[in-house]
Amino acid sequence: MGALNVFVAYASRHGATQGIGERIAERLRAAGLEAEAQPVAAVRDISAYQAFVIGSAAYLGHWQQEAAEFVRHSHRLIQRRPTWLFSSGPLVKEPSEALGLDQREAAVPNEVGEFRKAICSRGDRVFAGALNPGQLGFLARAIRILPAGRALLPAGDFRDWRDIDAWADGIARELVASHWRD
């Protein structure tokens, strides 16, 4: 009996969500599962996977369109397999500041509620994101700074790797313990 095959699919605009997806796949592999991380735009056939972790960068309260379309298009298969959702994007004031429960709940993208029901997800999580102003376009850089010179959006990497690892390890434990099979 082989290891469970888990697909970690993500939509990432500037690479922060990609980093989270790759880290989750790495943790799942460390637990003895087969795990592959890929952008949702590269996905062709997901029928061989036995479990899913799907994530997206969130902007203005929404998942990226390609991630939302992936879930909507694939929901019939995904709902029959263990699935978890993650979002990234909220920025905190300091890189060392943890994303609190209230911030997580306020930052849940609109689509996640829809997906919880449609695919019967086993859980979802919002992780803090990262912002490198050099990756932003001119307009985004211009609106990032308030007229008084204060940053509207703080720059830096706010991802909490310990939190991401703990969440991924919890998924791995659940999959390994359940010996879930299609």
Side-chain angles (χ1 to χ4, degrees):
M1 207 177 228
L4 288 169
N5 193 3
V6 183
F7 184 57
V8 180
Y10 59 84
S12 183
R13 187 175 294 168
H14 299 293
T17 307
Q18 175 182 352
I20 292 170
E22 290 172 352
R23 181 71 165 249
I24 290 168
E26 179 184 307
R27 299 297 289 200
L28 297 175
R29 286 191 298 271
L33 301 167
E34 292 180 20
E36 176 181 2
Q38 282 189 32
V40 294
V43 176
R44 297 292 173 252
D45 180 15
I46 61 169
S47 62
Y49 296 99
Q50 297 162 312
F52 300 95
V53 179
I54 305 166
S56 178
Y59 296 95
L60 301 173
H62 293 279
W63 263 22
Q64 289 188 245
Q65 183 176 353
E66 63 265 26
E69 287 176 3
F70 171 78
V71 174
R72 288 180 183 121
H73 176 74
S74 308
H75 79 276
R76 285 190 176 89
L77 175 65
I78 294 170
Q79 72 184 16
R80 297 190 332 248
R81 315 251 166 105
T83 302
W84 290 262
L85 305 171
F86 74 93
S87 307
S88 74
L91 303 174
V92 292
K93 292 179 183 153
E94 297 294 328
S96 62
E97 181 182 329
L99 193 61
L101 183 58
D102 291 343
Q103 288 172 300
R104 280 187 207 281
E105 289 174 9
V108 172
N110 295 338
E111 295 81 2
V112 171
E114 169 195 341
F115 298 155
R116 284 175 184 154
K117 294 174 189 169
I119 64 170
C120 304
S121 71
R122 296 203 177 190
D124 56 85
R125 181 63 68 94
V126 174
F127 298 111
L131 177 65
N132 176 350
Q135 294 175 319
L136 300 176
F138 172 76
L139 183 58
R141 280 194 310 271
I143 63 171
R144 182 182 161 268
I145 304 296
L146 295 171
R150 291 189 10 248
L152 179 62
L153 299 173
D157 188 342
F158 304 98
R159 294 172 291 181
D160 182 341
W161 295 110
R162 286 183 296 184
D163 187 37
I164 294 163
D165 290 348
W167 190 70
D169 293 348
I171 292 170
R173 281 191 302 276
E174 187 172 339
L175 287 171
V176 169
S178 70
H179 298 289
W180 192 91
R181 291 285 181 256
D182 191 19

